[in-house]
Amino acid sequence: MTKTLRAVAFLALLLGTAHARLQPDRSAPIRLHPANPHYFLFRGKAVALITSGEHYGAVLNLDFDYRRYLAALAADELNYTRLFGGSYVEVPAKSFGILRNDLAPEPGRYLAPWARSKAPGYAGGGNKFDLERWDAAFLARYHDFLAEAAKRGVVVEITLFSSHYDENQWRLSVLNPSNNVNGTNATDWKKLHTLDNGNTLAYQEKYARKLVREANRFDNVIFEVQNEPWSDRPVLADVVNSYLRPPGRDNYPNSVDLPDELSMAWQARVVEWIQEEESSLPKRHLIAQNYCNFRLSVRKLLPGIDVVNFHYAYPDVMTLNYGLGKAISYDETGFLGRDDDAYRRQAWNFMLSGGSVFDSLDYSFTPGHEDGTDTAPNGPGGGSPALRGQLRILRKFLESLPLVDLRPDTGVVKHASGVVARVLSSPGREYGIYLDGNGPSDATLDLPQGQYSGEWINVRTGSVDKSEDFRHSGGNRVLQSPEFQNGVALRLKRSGGV
């Protein structure tokens, strides 16, 4: 090769390397967006995560057709689901009043990460478990679920552990010494998720590391440490309505509880297991901490946490915690009955306050109805094809805005008559506004001068109910919404000066 050719080849190599550096790494796992950590960078795009999903038992329940379920999510253009890793199951037709519960396999239909032994006597039917051996069928199903979700662009939060709540669930736990042949000596379920659980800790570590290692090759995974850790070891931190009288004021569903110090020390150890296991593997995944119910200003997160999960959250969560610079997730709702409006309103209020994730428990996904069409009464919540379609409208609305540039904006809407306003904006350029309540409403907006175009979006149907095109000289501008029930959205864009 001549000197000239070598020089050309070297220049091409440099240009190729520089070009590669400019391209998004589409093989990297989902992560917080470096330009705005309140959203995610996934496969080269800024995304928010929105879903109405099954009750977490898709892999461990052999009667659940998870491929059909994931196809239903994809058809509704939803991009998130939670998955319990198999260390916790519920009681069929009893736990939390759920009649057809994905997380409560029928006798003999529970597929755990651990293999069955030859000894009979598991409380949920069949033989006891051997914590020294993994179940190959579970791992195959786990891998396939993650792969099928990845094909459809669905992000999976893998919840490694969960509180047990009471004796009914503890009776079915694999880690209960009566259900395994390994002599676990954690006999008090309230100590199960503490460092004071005897030899059970070593089995918990092996399990956590195994699930982390087996999921490492996937780009669509987030790990959650523990579901609702405050439930087994609560410490009262605040109340929702301080005007109630004790003792009701200080109890669920008015109490805001945190897990105690013993729980926090154990959770910190689980984070260490995740980080240590991934330290020698190709990919590093986000880690989520389930902080509390309702709302609270976060005092301290576990080291290494990227995503802060709240359950049954108020939009105030965002006001209190936006400055953390983390993804804030409405990680579970679903105890408000069967009315779709309630969950749709929660989603719009939270996400238009700056939320990163919205996840509704959808009780229309049941074994035999993995397409989400089981709309008969089934426990404390709802879920339906209609709700999922409405959440798709929310996702599309957010994606129509420049997510990376968006911030919560409490100044642009000076007043909106009779309703509550939530706003995300790229100030002076684009605005996403949600009015919660019933209208019409006169909304007074403080806008810079310019040419504006806007669309009032029906949050039930996605249709444009009214358009706005106007020149504005700056200052207050009153816009009148169309008629609406239980919310309306406005997408407003400024195209330049007057």
Side-chain angles (χ1 to χ4, degrees):
M1 182 181 291
T2 67
K3 289 183 178 180
T4 301
L5 288 175
R6 282 197 298 267
V8 170
F10 181 66
L11 179 60
L13 177 61
L14 287 178
L15 290 173
T17 302
H19 178 73
R21 287 173 180 167
L22 293 173
Q23 299 305 304
D25 182 1
R26 296 180 185 276
S27 67
I30 185 171
R31 58 191 185 274
L32 303 187
H33 200 292
N36 186 346
H38 299 94
Y39 299 107
F40 301 93
L41 181 61
F42 183 48
R43 299 180 180 175
K45 295 181 180 180
V47 298
L49 301 176
I50 297 175
T51 203
S52 183
E54 63 91 20
H55 188 210
Y56 318 145
V59 169
L60 62 85
N61 190 335
L62 284 169
D63 289 329
F64 193 82
D65 183 348
Y66 58 78
R67 292 190 177 191
R68 191 179 181 204
Y69 163 67
L70 291 169
L73 284 189
D76 288 323
E77 299 181 67
L78 303 179
N79 60 353
Y80 183 71
T81 191
R82 291 181 84 200
L83 179 73
F84 276 23
S87 66
Y88 167 87
V89 289
E90 293 182 345
V91 184
K94 291 184 179 179
S95 294
F96 304 101
I98 305 170
L99 302 178
R100 298 174 299 284
N101 185 353
D102 305 353
L103 197 52
E106 294 296 325
R109 305 302 290 166
Y110 172 30
L111 185 65
W114 302 277
R116 299 274 184 161
S117 72
K118 295 181 179 180
Y122 172 57
N127 290 352
K128 295 183 179 184
F129 292 89
D130 182 352
L131 303 181
E132 297 290 350
R133 297 189 298 119
W134 305 115
D135 190 306
F138 173 89
L139 293 176
R141 194 170 162 95
Y142 179 61
H143 294 154
D144 193 54
F145 180 89
L146 296 178
E148 290 294 324
K151 286 181 190 176
R152 296 170 171 85
V154 175
V155 174
V156 181
E157 179 184 75
I158 301 172
T159 299
L160 297 173
F161 298 95
S162 177
S163 287
H164 276 63
Y165 305 97
D166 60 35
E167 289 287 346
N168 291 319
Q169 284 75 237
W170 174 235
R171 185 179 63 84
L172 296 180
S173 173
V174 175
L175 297 175
N176 186 320
S178 65
N179 290 325
N180 61 70
V181 296
N182 309 95
T184 52
N185 49 27
T187 56
D188 181 353
W189 56 271
K190 292 187 177 182
K191 288 187 176 181
L192 180 64
H193 300 115
T194 74
L195 299 177
D196 184 24
N197 66 7
N199 64 354
T200 306
L201 187 67
Y203 290 114
Q204 289 173 327
E205 179 177 358
K206 289 179 182 178
Y207 155 83
R209 288 180 179 271
K210 183 66 173 176
L211 263 61
V212 167
R213 177 172 288 272
E214 296 293 331
N216 187 258
R217 69 177 182 267
F218 297 99
D219 69 344
N220 59 325
V221 164
I222 298 170
F223 292 110
E224 183 185 49
V225 175
Q226 184 184 358
N227 177 66
E228 300 187 346
W230 58 86
S231 294
D232 287 359
R233 306 191 64 83
V235 175
L236 182 66
D238 200 357
V239 295
V240 176
N241 184 350
S242 61
Y243 295 100
L244 296 179
R245 293 182 178 181
R249 180 194 63 195
D250 299 336
N251 296 319
Y252 181 84
N254 196 56
S255 61
V256 180
D257 298 309
L258 292 177
D260 68 7
E261 289 301 316
L262 293 177
S263 169
M264 293 299 291
W266 178 88
Q267 290 184 71
R269 185 69 61 86
V270 178
V271 174
E272 291 175 3
W273 296 337
I274 297 170
Q275 292 175 325
E276 289 172 1
E277 192 64 23
E278 289 202 322
S279 66
S280 61
L281 298 173
K283 289 181 168 59
R284 310 285 187 275
H285 292 90
L286 297 176
I287 302 176
Q289 176 183 346
N290 199 177
Y291 196 78
C292 69
N293 279 333
F294 309 135
R295 62 186 179 211
L296 197 66
S297 175
V298 170
R299 183 175 296 275
K300 186 179 180 181
L301 291 174
L302 297 167
I305 293 300
D306 308 288
V307 182
V308 188
N309 288 344
F310 290 85
H311 285 190
Y312 307 93
Y314 289 79
D316 311 27
V317 161
M318 297 311 308
T319 306
L320 294 168
N321 297 296
Y322 192 83
L324 288 174
K326 307 281 186 181
I328 309 294
S329 168
Y330 194 146
D331 196 48
E332 181 182 292
T333 186
F335 274 61
L336 290 178
R338 300 175 63 200
D339 183 6
D340 290 342
D341 285 353
Y343 304 110
R344 186 191 65 247
R345 292 175 69 186
Q346 286 181 331
W348 277 90
N349 275 299
F350 187 78
M351 297 305 291
L352 270 289
S353 296
S356 311
V357 182
F358 180 81
D359 177 21
S360 178
L361 272 176
D362 195 319
Y363 294 101
S364 71
F365 289 114
T366 60
H369 293 85
E370 294 88 350
D371 58 351
T373 57
D374 185 353
T375 55
N378 184 27
S384 68
L387 174 61
R388 295 191 296 277
Q390 291 163 15
L391 292 180
R392 176 176 62 233
I393 294 166
L394 169 58
R395 184 184 170 199
K396 292 294 187 183
F397 181 86
L398 290 171
E399 289 179 350
S400 73
L401 299 168
L403 274 182
V404 170
D405 299 327
L406 295 184
R407 303 291 187 277
D409 188 335
T410 58
V412 65
V413 177
K414 309 300 289 186
H415 181 72
S417 60
V419 297
V420 175
R422 313 281 182 191
V423 184
L424 291 173
S425 78
S426 172
R429 291 186 289 169
E430 295 191 46
Y431 303 84
I433 300 171
Y434 172 67
L435 304 182
D436 187 50
N438 301 323
S441 173
D442 292 327
T444 302
L445 277 61
D446 183 6
L447 298 170
Q449 68 172 358
Q451 180 72 36
Y452 288 85
S453 60
E455 295 178 329
W456 291 93
I457 308 297
N458 186 312
V459 295
R460 279 198 182 94
T461 67
S463 64
V464 177
D465 285 354
K466 182 180 179 182
S467 296
E468 300 277 358
D469 290 287
F470 58 89
R471 285 180 177 270
H472 182 54
S473 59
N476 288 349
R477 176 84 182 199
V478 178
L479 302 182
Q480 186 175 66
S481 78
E483 294 272 356
F484 64 91
Q485 294 290 318
N486 292 322
V488 70
L490 170 64
R491 181 172 50 234
L492 189 64
K493 185 174 183 178
R494 175 176 178 260
S495 57
V498 175

